[in-house]
Amino acid sequence: KVRSNSRVYHRYFLLDADMQSLRWEPSKKESDKAKIDVKSIKEVRTGKNTDTFRTNGISDQISEDCAFSVIYGENYESLDLVANSADVANIWVTGLRYLISYGKHTLNMIQSSQDNMRASWLGDLFDEADVIGGKCISLCSAVQLIKKLSPGLKNVKIELKFKELHKAKDKIGSDVTKEEFIEVFHDLCTRPEIYFLLVQFSSNKEFLDTKDLMIFLEAEQGMAKVSEDISVEIIQKYEPSKEGQLKGWLSLDGFTNYLMSPDCHIFDPEQKTVCQDMNQPLSHYYINSSHNTYLIEDQFRGPSDITGYIRALKMGCRSVELDVWDGPDNEPVIYTGHTMTSHIVFRSVIDIINKYAFVASEFPVILCVENHCSLKQQKVMFQHLKKILGDKIHSDPPNLEDNYLPSPSDLKGKILLKGKKLASNCTGSEGEVTDEDEGAEMSQKMNNEGGEQQTVVQAKKFQLSKDLSDLVTLCKSVRFKDFQAAFQNQKHWELCSFNEVFASRCATDQPGEFVNYNKKFLARVYPSPMRIDSSNMNPQDFWKCGCQIVAMNYQTPGLMMDLNIGWFRQNGNCGYVLRPAIMREQVSYFSANTKDSVPGVSPQLLHIKIISGQNFPKPKGSGAKGDVVDPYVYVEIHGIPADCAEQRTKTVHQNGDNPIFDESFEFQINLPELAMVRFVVLDDDYIGDEFIGQYTIPFECIQPGFRHIPLQSLTGELLPHAWLFVHVAITNRRGGGKPHKRGLSVRKGKKGREYATMRILLIKAVDEVFKTAAQPLREATDLRENMQ
């Protein structure tokens, strides 16, 4: 909108394709004033700060945030503008200031002449498509050629652009000339945010030479040992023009190709393969785990289906659940135990496990067997397990001299059975065990007399086949009483299952003990039976306590599964993630509920700038609404309580194709090894569904610099060509260091500190008194070493 002498003009302003002039549709009186040369702009002034605004009769009705003026020409004329919103005004002011701030020579990058690299490259492509040599190609061919160069663009949008160009020229016919093809490509495929980035690092403002690129790689992308050969390699790989390849120049299009390539994705490629120490005890790892694996819908009405096992194992799941009951024709079956309307034959499930167990990962699989079968069908179960799985079943008894379980490396290719086990003195072919009902909620109540906490569990006696019992070696299911009893009596091969309600209470009331317990023993947390809709608990609530096996309903998408899937990407998606050192080392003390920095762990500052988005689709579940979306972005931090935070960008109205956000956020991460970052794109003007896409990444996997983030759908599939473009910097709270040291290299190179600690005597009264000394001791060590 332009306002002058109390008159209001509603106008559409745009920056010319060559970025050299600001123009608008003129009235009859101002045909010679319908554009301003960007080189002539002296200043871009915000607010109502010109004579036109001051003397305007309706100036008081204009928002200060929406008003700005372009001062241009030798006579310092002013073009006074009022945008529809403060956001739009900000984009124009920022963009124009950027253009003029680098001097007049910066605007010569893309000229109308055809002697630059882009025009030369596009001209060659056009000539290849012009098979008959008629100096024009069909509209359909032109659309497909641009679509091939920029797959995220919609055919309709490309076609409309050509038609608009033809209409502006009063052209008859739909064929496209070379000049028209280049102009439309430029209009649709130039990303200004990448152009401005190139301008900052280019020594001649038209392209990056090998030295420019080296500076960018080292200063921004955190790349160590950068050489000119690496620059040449990148240019040869991503520069589309022959001239650029020959001269070692990276054009805007080559730079865009590079920034959108896997080389510049946010996820550290080193962590796409197994990169952690796999030789520590099994209890030192988080284990990717599934609950009610046999379900593909909710647990109340949902049918049992074998595809649940295939899906989970292919996704890297290492712990699956088998709820086994007596079936017809003396064949055990697996089903929910609720409706029992559908079931899977047990033998078929074991066949599938045998086929898919080690497709995604070579590390051990745990079968959590809930055995409800009669002795007769237990014998059939045993026969199927032995015949189908054979030597894959780990059957060696635990080493009584060891204090810890074997490592994932020791158990490669092995299948462990978790279940009840008969006493070692059982001599017959069967025996009686206490069978705890995992469907019953564990709870605690206070003993009025002694004040001791007691665990209440529904339990009954159950006849167990000795053959099946002998297959359970390293994961014997036992009842949990309390931490003191566990520290005194529990064997390292014994495993307790915790209902999430009871586990939450332990995390709240005894967070330190829970962490210490999980240093040695495996703990499995399963969802409350009240979750009949198969909703998921937050796995972070239990990972922060060190719980290794947090069983998730894989059939239920959403935030919690996003966290689970994202978390297990960090070690080659092998299903095992090494827990933070503070949760493994015997001498360390950590409380899961800490709301401050963690002693001995250096906090990190995470700086994130959400720059732009590309090709956001309409929310999948939205109702009767056009294809246009109004996107905004949430950045969420998930981790220990001290780290949990979220920030959101402004909304960009009616632009899902290439919205510019240009907003920065800062987060302090106190326990980096347990933190995750989730990027969520939502639609602010939605009907029915607002979710556009998300990406969840462990903090330790983030690469610093300018990065593209691939967006995923609600169910985890990649959204075609949908990206967020961001800048990331990671620094220590007390200051960074060299620019290329802003990323993972700082943290990985840091030597761990050794702390004095209190030995646990297992005398509760004494341990409670001295437990409070642990943190001051750690802080004293930190003070001393920081001073040194």
Side-chain angles (χ1 to χ4, degrees):
K1 296 175 186 177
V2 183
R3 302 176 189 268
S4 176
N5 299 325
S6 300
R7 296 186 61 190
V8 178
Y9 300 92
H10 292 266
R11 291 264 172 78
Y12 180 66
F13 285 78
L14 69 153
L15 195 62
D16 254 348
D18 58 9
M19 298 192 201
Q20 297 196 65
S21 57
L22 173 65
R23 62 184 172 89
W24 61 94
E25 188 179 344
S27 66
K28 291 179 181 177
K29 291 182 180 179
E30 56 180 11
S31 57
D32 61 331
K33 295 184 179 179
K35 72 175 185 176
I36 296 172
D37 189 341
V38 171
K39 293 178 183 178
S40 73
I41 296 176
K42 309 293 186 185
E43 179 191 353
V44 182
R45 194 176 296 170
T46 58
K48 298 178 287 187
N49 289 310
T50 62
D51 289 341
T52 304
F53 277 121
R54 293 188 193 103
T55 59
N56 194 295
I58 55 171
S59 180
D60 58 342
Q61 299 172 27
I62 297 170
S63 168
E64 187 81 19
D65 292 339
C66 296
F68 66 99
S69 301
V70 179
I71 315 299
Y72 66 98
E74 295 303 318
N75 297 322
Y76 287 78
E77 297 175 71
S78 73
L79 174 65
D80 303 290
L81 304 171
V82 182
N84 287 328
S85 71
D87 290 342
V88 172
N90 182 52
I91 289 169
W92 273 95
V93 170
T94 304
L96 288 172
R97 282 178 174 173
Y98 227 138
L99 276 174
I100 64 175
S101 65
Y102 288 97
K104 294 176 183 179
H105 62 288
T106 66
L107 299 171
N108 295 325
M109 183 189 159
I110 302 168
Q111 300 173 346
S112 57
S113 61
Q114 295 187 23
D115 60 355
N116 61 72
M117 289 190 285
R118 171 180 274 186
S120 171
W121 161 58
L122 291 174
D124 290 344
L125 290 176
F126 184 91
D127 291 341
E128 287 175 21
D130 180 16
V131 288
I132 59 172
K135 303 211 178 204
C136 61
I137 59 176
S138 69
L139 176 62
C140 180
S141 297
V143 169
Q144 290 307 313
L145 191 50
I146 287 182
K147 177 84 173 174
K148 184 179 178 182
L149 297 172
S150 186
L153 285 172
K154 298 182 182 74
N155 285 22
V156 176
K157 184 174 181 179
I158 305 170
E159 190 174 323
L160 182 62
K161 201 71 176 175
F162 278 116
K163 288 179 178 177
E164 285 176 353
L165 185 61
H166 287 165
K167 185 180 178 183
K169 293 180 176 180
D170 294 325
K171 180 176 177 178
I172 299 170
S174 61
D175 283 355
V176 174
T177 66
K178 184 184 291 187
E179 292 73 22
E180 290 166 349
F181 171 71
I182 291 172
E183 185 172 344
V184 168
F185 176 88
H186 177 71
D187 278 359
L188 293 178
C189 303
T190 300
R191 288 178 54 183
E193 72 275 27
I194 293 181
Y195 163 67
F196 289 134
L197 185 57
L198 182 139
V199 165
Q200 289 178 63
F201 281 87
S202 172
S203 51
N204 58 36
K205 310 307 172 192
E206 187 176 341
F207 53 79
L208 297 176
D209 61 26
T210 53
K211 288 186 170 57
D212 296 334
L213 186 54
M214 284 174 65
I215 293 169
F216 175 76
L217 295 174
E218 184 175 47
E220 286 299 343
Q221 302 304 87
M223 192 181 286
K225 299 179 181 176
V226 180
S227 67
E228 206 155 351
D229 288 344
I230 289 173
S231 288
V232 170
E233 193 178 312
I234 288 171
I235 291 167
Q236 293 301 316
K237 188 174 181 181
Y238 297 110
E239 173 53 44
S241 73
K242 291 174 185 172
E243 182 186 0
Q245 291 174 12
L246 285 170
K247 294 181 176 177
W249 293 348
L250 193 66
S251 69
L252 175 60
D253 300 296
F255 193 38
T256 303
N257 289 342
Y258 169 65
L259 287 173
M260 294 195 73
S261 74
D263 289 348
C264 288
H265 286 188
I266 194 168
F267 193 94
D268 183 354
E270 287 185 10
Q271 298 190 260
K272 289 183 177 179
T273 55
V274 175
C275 55
Q276 296 179 344
D277 177 7
M278 302 305 290
N279 296 305
Q280 301 209 23
L282 214 58
S283 60
H284 286 187
Y285 298 84
Y286 296 113
I287 303 172
N288 197 351
S289 310
S290 164
H291 178 246
N292 285 351
T293 317
Y294 40 83
L295 290 181
I296 55 172
E297 290 177 28
D298 69 69
Q299 67 189 54
F300 190 70
R301 297 176 302 274
S304 301
D305 194 290
I306 206 158
T307 58
Y309 289 94
I310 297 173
R311 175 185 58 193
L313 290 168
K314 277 186 168 182
M315 289 172 71
C317 185
R318 299 287 85 194
S319 172
V320 298
E321 189 175 10
L322 296 89
D323 215 343
V324 195
W325 302 74
D326 280 354
D329 304 321
N330 200 35
E331 279 290 346
V333 294
I334 290 175
Y335 47 22
T336 66
H338 292 287
T339 60
M340 301 195 180
T341 53
S342 69
H343 62 261
I344 324 166
V345 176
F346 176 77
R347 182 183 64 242
S348 302
V349 175
I350 301 305
D351 273 329
I352 286 296
I353 290 170
N354 185 50
K355 184 176 179 181
Y356 290 98
F358 303 107
V359 168
S361 170
E362 60 186 342
F363 295 108
V365 172
I366 300 171
L367 304 186
C368 298
V369 179
E370 292 302 315
N371 180 5
H372 306 278
C373 289
S374 62
L375 282 169
K376 184 179 179 183
Q377 294 209 14
Q378 285 183 46
K379 290 173 183 174
V380 178
M381 282 174 63
F382 171 78
Q383 289 164 4
H384 290 327
L385 287 166
K386 286 299 289 180
K387 184 177 180 182
I388 297 168
L389 299 179
D391 292 341
K392 289 179 183 174
I393 298 179
H394 183 275
S395 54
D396 296 340
N399 188 337
L400 301 181
E401 295 179 2
D402 289 344
N403 287 319
Y404 288 90
L405 288 165
S407 70
S409 286
D410 293 333
L411 297 168
K412 277 182 185 175
K414 290 297 183 181
I415 292 174
L416 314 180
L417 259 61
K418 169 198 167 291
K420 301 293 182 295
K421 191 168 176 64
L422 294 173
S424 56
N425 57 7
C426 178
T427 54
S429 61
E430 62 192 62
E432 224 176 39
V433 294
T434 300
D435 181 35
E436 298 151 30
D437 182 358
E438 284 203 354
E441 182 181 325
M442 283 179 155
S443 61
Q444 287 187 332
K445 65 180 182 181
M446 295 298 295
N447 182 310
N448 289 332
E449 293 178 8
E452 291 294 316
Q453 290 185 330
Q454 295 180 337
T455 303
V456 179
V457 184
Q458 289 186 6
K460 58 185 178 182
K461 294 296 181 181
F462 177 74
Q463 288 296 115
L464 178 63
S465 154
K466 189 171 188 304
D467 286 338
L468 266 182
S469 171
D470 288 345
L471 292 182
V472 176
T473 54
L474 298 181
C475 296
K476 177 188 174 184
S477 293
V478 296
R479 172 188 166 185
F480 179 83
K481 184 186 176 190
D482 56 46
F483 289 117
Q484 189 169 353
F487 289 134
Q488 288 177 331
N489 303 317
Q490 190 170 330
K491 306 293 188 293
H492 65 269
W493 63 84
E494 294 177 334
L495 181 158
C496 293
S497 287
F498 297 80
N499 175 295
E500 68 167 291
V501 177
F502 178 62
S504 295
R505 195 168 298 135
C506 291
T508 302
D509 297 344
Q510 300 167 287
E513 285 85 345
F514 209 174
V515 172
N516 277 336
Y517 172 84
N518 289 322
K519 289 176 182 177
K520 182 174 182 179
F521 307 113
L522 285 176
R524 176 175 176 267
V525 181
Y526 61 93
S528 164
M530 300 303 290
R531 294 183 183 272
I532 59 173
D533 60 349
S534 286
S535 60
N536 273 308
M537 53 194 170
N538 186 340
Q540 287 270 9
D541 290 344
F542 307 104
W543 290 338
K544 71 182 183 183
C545 303
C547 296
Q548 301 87 349
I549 306 174
V550 182
M552 304 294 288
N553 287 306
Y554 268 60
Q555 72 274 20
T556 308
L559 165 62
M560 304 315 172
M561 269 308 293
D562 293 343
L563 294 175
N564 192 74
I565 292 168
W567 183 247
F568 284 102
R569 282 197 191 108
Q570 67 183 290
N571 191 26
N573 204 36
C574 75
Y576 287 82
V577 168
L578 190 63
R579 296 183 310 160
I582 202 166
M583 293 186 181
R584 305 191 313 265
E585 295 163 351
Q586 200 58 44
V587 297
S588 64
Y589 176 78
F590 171 70
S591 168
N593 289 337
T594 180
K595 292 183 171 58
D596 202 347
S597 58
V598 179
V601 177
S602 180
Q604 303 289 320
L605 282 182
L606 173 64
H607 314 259
I608 294 180
K609 183 176 187 179
I610 306 294
I611 301 170
S612 64
Q614 295 290 304
N615 309 311
F616 293 161
K618 188 174 78 167
K620 201 168 184 179
S622 63
K625 180 190 166 190
D627 284 336
V628 178
V629 295
D630 296 343
Y632 63 98
V633 182
Y634 260 106
V635 182
E636 304 170 349
I637 309 297
H638 298 266
I640 62 171
D643 291 340
C644 292
E646 62 179 30
Q647 297 272 10
R648 67 156 282 181
T649 68
K650 61 180 178 290
T651 298
V652 175
H653 295 287
Q654 299 192 344
N655 186 353
D657 295 333
N658 52 356
I660 302 291
F661 299 100
D662 200 36
E663 287 195 62
S664 298
F665 308 111
E666 184 177 282
F667 304 93
Q668 179 167 309
I669 312 295
N670 293 288
L671 185 54
E673 287 179 273
L674 205 60
M676 302 186 75
V677 184
R678 184 171 182 255
F679 301 88
V680 194
V681 183
L682 301 169
D683 184 3
D684 211 1
D685 182 25
Y686 65 94
I687 300 174
D689 183 17
E690 62 177 340
F691 179 85
I692 293 174
Q694 68 84 30
Y695 186 76
T696 307
I697 180 171
F699 178 81
E700 296 281 82
C701 297
I702 293 175
Q703 295 203 97
F706 288 92
R707 302 290 170 183
H708 274 88
I709 299 172
L711 292 178
Q712 296 176 325
S713 70
L714 191 67
T715 49
E717 293 88 17
L718 279 177
L719 293 171
H721 317 298
W723 302 90
L724 271 178
F725 184 42
V726 303
H727 179 262
V728 177
I730 299 169
T731 58
N732 185 277
R733 184 174 60 174
R734 294 182 180 87
K738 292 184 180 178
H740 71 271
K741 289 284 189 183
R742 289 192 293 184
L744 299 172
S745 54
V746 174
R747 296 193 305 281
K748 286 181 178 174
K750 186 173 176 64
K751 185 186 175 188
R753 289 179 176 174
E754 294 182 3
Y755 294 96
T757 187
M758 297 292 168
R759 203 176 98 196
I760 296 174
L761 302 177
L762 299 176
I763 302 169
K764 189 173 181 181
V766 177
D767 287 338
E768 284 295 317
V769 169
F770 283 93
K771 183 175 72 177
T772 56
Q775 190 158 340
L777 277 171
R778 298 181 69 85
E779 289 170 352
T781 302
D782 284 338
L783 282 169
R784 184 183 69 239
E785 297 209 3
N786 288 346
M787 181 63 72
Q788 289 173 354

